Amino acid sequence: MTDTSSAPVAPILLRRQGLHAATISDYLAACVLVAATSLLCEQVRPYLSPINMVMAYLLAVVLAAVRLGLKPAILAAFLGVLAFDFFFVPPRFSLRTSDTEYLITFLALFIVGIVISSLVTRGREGAEALRLRELQTSSLYHLSRDLAAAAGRPALLATVVKNIEESMHAQLAVFLPEDDRLEVSTSSRGLELSSADHEIALWSYRSRRSAGHGTDSYASSSLLFIPLKALAQTLGVLCIKLEWLYEPDTEQIRRLVDAYATQISMALERVRLSRQAQQAEIHQARESLERALLNSISHDLRTPLATITGVLGAVLEEVECLNPVKTRELLETAIEEAGRLNRFVGNLLDMTRLEAGAVQLRLEPCDVQDLIGCALAPLEKQLFGRKVVVRLPPDLPLVTLDPVLMIQVLVNLIENAHKYSAPEKEIEIFSSLSETGLSLRIADRGPGVPEAELGRVFDKFYRIPVPEGVSGTGLGLSICKGIVEAHGGSIGAQNRAGGGLEMILTVPITATSQECVDVY
Amino acid sequence: MSTETGRENLPRILVVDDEVAIQRFLKTALDNGSYSLHQAADGHVALAAAAAVRPDVILLDLGLPDIDGVEVITRIREWSQVPIIVISVRERENDKVRAFDAGADDYLTKPFGIGELQARIKVALKRSLQQVPEPVFRIAELEVDLPRRRVTVQGKEVPLTPTEYELLRLLVSHAGKVLTHSMILKQIWGIGYLEQPHVLRVNISNLRRKIEADASRPRYILTEPGVGYRLKVDD
């Protein structure tokens, strides 16, 4: 909120109180005003008849009413009559009047003076009241606007303190329940709360009634406690210390403070509900993920098991009549499925370890070329002579990584590149060193992934909807992500210009890993 | 422990595993007339059998009910150099390093194919039978002539620094066997370099650049990630 937008309500209130309780200086000013009028009239006396001077005194009364308030204006009217009589009505310098007609003039001057004073004052009061109401409304509006914008309880409380401090020139505190106890969640700087104040706050919280100054309960306190009520429960207590609460205009202020309290309650309730909704959403998301996980696990575990069981059953049952070729075929299927099962169990274990935070990096200085070599070695059979281009900068230093885990990442990425692209297209592996760390890019010329799906490929059990017969656990990339992130790095996927998918992983390298090796 | 008699001339294999299913599977797979198979279901029986049977190869599971497999390796190594192939479900590099450092020759993670196991057994047997190392080591296009300290690839001599040669010689003398990082560091650079693994990385990298055709896909010096290096031998 901008500072200009909330004109303080407090000074207006104070000024308004000043209207009712005119000070001695106001009365003195009224006297001076009358004296000045008399002096002015003395100057023009040779040219005007005395009766015209009544107008000058009336003007003084109006001025007094506008500037000084009702009572000084009445004083001005009274003094004006006396001064007029004394100075200008013959015989001069005496209160006696030779012409009785002047008595009517005196009376008219006095009555008109009083009537004008009260009219002007009432008009002024009305304008002030309007202005005050407008300020209250706008301060409430600003508060509610800022509250609506505040995300989360801390921001909300900070907004409350700032707004009310600015518009009321008051110190305040907000009590909120924390684990069965009512604690001060936020307070103005310099506001000290005693244990007695805590007690009043607790009473107000429990009874859902205002307490403290100007109320029926704990009236001796200098603070005002207002419960923050939601529909069914009390959310906390607003505590305000108003320096000028002793003045008679408390009713007005109480209404304003109550309005503040309502706003705060609503905002607190909103935050509470949205947090609840968020939690429910998270809970639901987790549940559906767990369901998907269980479905996937049971499917991925059972399918190969079903094949293996079927094959073994068939071989066992018909051991005599199966021809050797058929048997061999069956057994090969079984062993393939067993391998798949083993990979899946391995992936599940890795994922579980990563998620449980049970993976401890065994950092070693690693030769990037060696890492790539180690990743290619177990894939040699699958790749079956497929062209894999490795491009490394010649002066790549040793980098500190967990070699085993990083090789696993590379194996997964290279295997994916292999599975999802035509075998005659080459797979490219690039590496580069930058300020952000070591980057490795594994690129294929496959179909790529739809842009909208790119972010999801690292999700658990996400399978790229592509070629038939491509089977995966849907865990490989999430494991990669887990490992890279455990290294403090990041991994991403992007489609290549000219087709294909590119996986980019970046891991930070520490200063020690770049140190020169001088022992040969 | 069960001992089969009448096959004195066959290589003796001691299988140490407490899983009945694995024992059954290995018995079926290996007891095909090529080996004489002996079995033990826990560490104590295994130690006794290792002394009584004098096996030519030991297949050892690490998760034994009484003593840990690594402890079994250590105790056997106190008096015997019999090749020990670890067969375990433990796939973490830590476990592998511990087993290798204790003196294991090879490590197979369960589940494994029988073909793979037989190949490893063959390599181990070859090594245990051949006590004196061949003076000239050959694999594919690489030839290491130990007496003449000469290394050639495709017949062309490759100039190596003394450290690189020592490193290659160490790998050759344990060809087919995994040497852990700390073993190599201790042997070549001394115990003071145990915490300086980058020295080894750089030398291996240089050595590969000199003897491998494609350093990104090494054919001779193979990396066992997180564990060590192994010089490939012909199967």
Side-chain angles (χ1 to χ4, degrees):
Chain A
M1 119 178 241
T2 54
D3 285 333
T4 49
S5 57
S6 84
V9 180
I12 298 283
L13 282 172
L14 283 171
R15 223 173 336 132
R16 206 163 152 248
Q17 284 156 7
L19 201 74
H20 286 263
T23 55
I24 290 175
S25 63
D26 288 335
Y27 291 108
L28 281 177
C31 298
V32 170
L33 203 60
V34 173
T37 310
S38 304
L39 271 174
L40 190 76
C41 291
E42 177 59 28
Q43 299 302 311
V44 296
R45 196 175 58 86
Y47 318 107
L48 293 174
S49 68
I51 201 75
N52 289 319
M53 290 162 193
V54 171
M55 293 304 146
Y57 282 104
L58 270 181
L59 194 65
V61 171
V62 171
L63 269 177
V66 171
R67 305 301 310 173
L68 306 173
L70 181 62
K71 284 176 183 169
I74 291 171
L75 178 69
F78 180 67
L79 289 176
V81 170
L82 285 183
F84 176 61
D85 179 16
F86 190 73
F87 293 117
F88 304 110
V89 175
R92 293 188 66 208
F93 308 111
S94 135
L95 288 175
R96 282 184 297 113
T97 316
S98 54
D99 192 342
T100 45
E101 251 178 62
Y102 277 110
L103 285 176
I104 296 169
T105 312
F106 296 153
L107 198 65
L109 173 60
F110 188 65
I111 289 172
V112 169
I114 286 173
V115 169
I116 288 176
S117 306
S118 49
L119 282 178
V120 166
T121 313
R122 205 174 300 158
R124 207 183 94 182
E125 268 183 337
E128 289 283 357
L130 266 178
R131 189 165 146 66
L132 178 72
R133 209 160 298 144
E134 190 220 309
L135 279 173
Q136 286 179 353
T137 314
S138 90
S139 90
L140 272 175
Y141 162 72
H142 287 306
L143 179 67
S144 74
R145 187 191 64 182
D146 291 355
L147 285 179
R153 222 166 67 170
L156 189 144
L157 292 174
T159 304
V160 167
V161 171
K162 186 167 176 286
N163 266 278
I164 298 185
E165 271 181 354
E166 267 174 16
S167 58
M168 310 260 312
H169 287 195
Q171 288 182 311
L172 68 147
V174 178
F175 291 83
L176 292 177
E178 305 274 354
D179 311 322
D180 304 337
R181 288 175 52 200
L182 200 61
E183 300 283 353
V184 180
S185 285
T186 183
S187 63
S188 302
R189 194 180 301 166
L191 180 66
E192 280 175 25
L193 295 164
S194 65
S195 58
D197 294 329
H198 274 84
E199 202 176 296
I200 305 174
L202 192 63
W203 183 87
S204 168
Y205 177 73
R206 288 200 176 135
S207 64
R208 287 166 72 84
R209 280 161 61 192
S210 300
H213 186 88
T215 66
D216 302 335
S217 327
Y218 298 97
S220 59
S221 171
S222 62
L223 302 165
L224 178 59
F225 298 84
I226 301 121
L228 301 169
K229 288 185 278 193
L231 271 182
Q233 62 187 122
T234 316
L235 302 173
V237 175
L238 172 68
C239 163
I240 291 195
K241 184 176 191 179
L242 300 167
E243 294 302 338
W244 32 281
L245 204 60
Y246 309 95
E247 300 303 331
D249 208 2
T250 28
E251 199 42 50
Q252 191 107 32
I253 298 156
R254 275 293 307 281
R255 271 207 301 277
L256 182 59
V257 171
D258 282 345
Y260 282 145
T262 311
Q263 290 281 352
I264 299 166
S265 312
M266 272 158 54
L268 279 174
E269 182 74 346
R270 175 180 61 79
V271 168
R272 194 176 68 86
L273 288 176
S274 87
R275 197 163 48 187
Q276 244 174 26
Q278 214 171 26
Q279 271 165 354
E281 207 171 290
I282 291 170
H283 187 68
Q284 204 175 8
R286 190 184 296 148
E287 262 189 359
S288 77
L289 184 70
E290 270 166 14
R291 211 174 309 122
L293 199 114
L294 280 177
N295 284 344
S296 176
I297 290 175
S298 68
H299 172 266
D300 287 327
L301 287 176
R302 285 234 165 90
T303 314
L305 263 183
T307 315
I308 296 165
T309 315
V311 166
L312 294 179
V315 173
L316 195 63
E317 289 287 309
E318 306 173 35
V319 71
E320 268 90 37
C321 50
L322 269 176
N323 71 44
V325 179
K326 199 102 192 154
T327 313
R328 194 180 172 80
E329 238 170 60
L330 278 172
L331 289 176
E332 271 170 1
T333 318
I335 213 157
E336 249 170 50
E337 287 299 291
R340 196 173 125 192
L341 188 60
N342 187 40
R343 275 200 304 281
F344 185 70
V345 171
N347 276 348
L348 266 186
L349 285 175
D350 289 340
M351 197 71 231
T352 314
R353 272 190 213 127
L354 278 168
E355 285 193 336
V359 169
Q360 275 201 331
L361 296 183
R362 285 162 48 94
L363 297 175
E364 290 174 18
C366 298
D367 178 3
V368 177
Q369 189 170 44
D370 195 11
L371 291 182
I372 295 171
C374 287
L376 288 171
L379 296 170
E380 216 57 67
K381 216 164 146 192
Q382 277 189 59
L383 291 169
F384 196 65
R386 178 171 186 164
K387 196 162 182 211
V388 179
V389 179
V390 181
R391 291 207 180 91
L392 304 176
D395 52 349
L396 210 57
L398 296 178
V399 288
T400 302
L401 297 168
D402 184 314
V404 177
L405 293 178
M406 211 36 93
I407 288 166
Q408 196 184 345
V409 170
L410 292 173
V411 167
N412 282 344
L413 296 180
I414 298 169
E415 196 178 15
N416 270 356
H418 172 62
K419 280 196 298 197
Y420 294 107
S421 63
E424 66 276 8
K425 304 269 178 66
E426 62 188 26
I427 295 170
E428 290 163 280
I429 302 169
F430 307 102
S431 174
S432 61
L433 210 58
S434 68
E435 281 147 33
T436 45
L438 173 80
S439 290
L440 282 166
R441 290 183 294 144
I442 289 88
D444 63 46
R445 287 290 175 196
V449 172
E451 287 292 328
E453 305 269 288
L454 275 176
R456 290 190 51 215
V457 296
F458 297 100
D459 287 357
K460 260 190 288 184
F461 297 108
Y462 175 82
R463 287 179 169 96
I464 301 169
V466 269
E468 291 166 38
V470 172
S471 67
T473 58
L475 284 172
L477 286 181
S478 17
I479 291 172
C480 290
K481 188 166 184 251
I483 292 175
V484 173
E485 283 175 356
H487 278 84
S490 61
I491 187 166
Q494 66 181 46
N495 288 314
R496 298 173 78 189
L501 190 69
E502 185 174 59
M503 291 286 177
I504 305 147
L505 70 91
T506 307
V507 282
I509 45 178
T510 50
T512 52
S513 64
Q514 286 195 62
E515 77 192 15
C516 290
V517 179
D518 48 5
V519 191
Y520 289 95
Chain B
M1 176 188 143
S2 69
T3 313
E4 311 218 346
T5 51
R7 292 173 169 189
E8 266 74 39
N9 298 329
L10 294 175
R12 291 179 297 273
I13 299 181
L14 174 63
V15 179
V16 187
D17 200 314
D18 61 325
E19 289 285 338
V20 178
I22 297 280
Q23 283 282 17
R24 247 176 75 188
F25 146 66
L26 287 176
K27 189 171 164 55
T28 320
L30 296 175
D31 204 2
N32 52 6
S34 319
Y35 307 110
S36 138
L37 206 69
H38 305 264
Q39 299 183 311
D42 66 47
H44 287 110
V45 176
L47 286 169
V53 178
R54 296 286 177 137
D56 297 303
V57 174
I58 297 176
L59 302 184
L60 177 69
D61 180 26
L62 290 183
L64 296 175
D66 52 350
I67 27 179
D68 189 73
V70 176
E71 177 68 19
V72 174
I73 302 175
T74 312
R75 291 215 207 152
I76 290 175
R77 279 288 171 264
E78 283 167 6
W79 58 272
S80 166
Q81 287 304 312
V82 55
I84 299 173
I85 301 174
V86 172
I87 46 170
S88 173
V89 287
R90 300 182 193 168
E91 52 176 2
R92 301 228 309 265
E93 288 61 38
N94 249 355
D95 298 312
K96 292 186 188 171
V97 170
R98 277 178 63 224
F100 282 123
D101 280 341
D105 292 80
D106 209 342
Y107 199 109
L108 256 182
T109 310
K110 290 178 188 170
F112 48 80
I114 197 67
E116 179 73 19
L117 178 64
Q118 274 166 340
R120 307 272 186 125
I121 291 174
K122 249 183 235 165
V123 171
L125 279 175
K126 199 171 148 194
R127 211 175 28 240
S128 83
L129 294 176
Q130 168 208 334
Q131 286 304 319
V132 186
E134 292 274 341
V136 179
F137 171 87
R138 277 189 203 90
I139 176 171
E141 287 154 345
L142 174 72
E143 196 178 282
V144 183
D145 188 333
L146 294 172
R148 296 166 63 193
R149 293 179 71 94
R150 213 170 153 256
V151 179
T152 54
V153 175
Q154 285 183 311
K156 271 186 268 175
E157 184 163 355
V158 181
L160 296 181
T161 67
T163 310
E164 285 163 7
Y165 178 77
E166 280 308 306
L167 190 52
L168 186 58
R169 198 186 57 81
L170 183 68
L171 288 167
V172 166
S173 61
H174 295 87
K177 193 183 153 178
V178 174
L179 293 176
T180 64
H181 297 140
S182 57
M183 279 177 179
I184 304 175
L185 284 165
K186 239 190 289 185
Q187 290 268 342
I188 309 275
W189 286 276
I191 208 145
Y193 278 88
L194 277 183
E195 301 302 317
Q196 311 269 322
H198 52 271
V199 179
L200 175 58
R201 301 297 187 288
V202 169
N203 274 285
I204 288 281
S205 166
N206 291 343
L207 191 53
R208 275 186 178 149
R209 227 168 281 151
K210 290 179 181 176
I211 64 171
E212 300 277 3
D214 178 0
S216 288
R217 290 166 122 164
R219 287 190 299 157
Y220 308 129
I221 302 172
L222 307 180
T223 304
E224 293 290 329
V227 180
Y229 298 97
R230 178 163 65 91
L231 191 69
K232 195 160 184 273
V233 288
D234 286 316
D235 294 333

